[in-house]
Amino acid sequence: MTASLPEARAAAASPVRADLTAHALRLLARKTPSLRASLRMRAVAHVLAGASLTEAAACAHIRPRTLLNWIARYNAEGVTGLADRPRLSSRPE
């Protein structure tokens, strides 16, 4: 299966930092108490292991654009960038 043009551009524009291996990132995901952060780590690890953006996103049941956002966070902040963040509330106080 060949990569689509937008996927190929996105992969070329956003390579995943390689300070951790896919295996090491998966081990961290196992130890993380947050299921959502664990999902982010596993999806990024899937790309590190050589999967295409589309394949990794499909395995995580997310859109490829969401995975690109997670990769950008990981590239900028490392593993801490994949941790849960407080959500902005739209409720008036």
Side-chain angles (χ1 to χ4, degrees):
M1 180 183 277
T2 60
S4 66
L5 187 58
E7 179 186 332
R9 285 184 186 155
S14 183
V16 182
R17 67 191 280 173
D19 52 343
L20 289 176
T21 64
H23 180 70
L25 196 53
R26 286 184 180 117
L27 289 176
L28 284 173
R30 261 189 214 169
K31 296 177 183 178
T32 302
S34 168
L35 293 176
R36 294 164 69 160
S38 177
L39 174 68
R40 289 183 207 105
M41 289 179 201
R42 289 174 195 271
V44 172
H46 206 55
V47 174
L48 269 173
S52 73
L53 193 65
T54 304
E55 291 170 341
C59 287
H61 302 286
I62 58 169
R63 293 178 299 142
R65 181 68 225 172
T66 301
L67 182 53
L68 276 176
N69 292 341
W70 293 353
I71 290 171
R73 284 171 53 179
Y74 177 69
N75 286 341
E77 303 171 38
V79 175
T80 57
L82 298 176
D84 291 338
R85 295 181 176 176
R87 293 182 178 211
L88 297 175
S89 176
S90 61
R91 290 187 231 152
E93 292 185 24

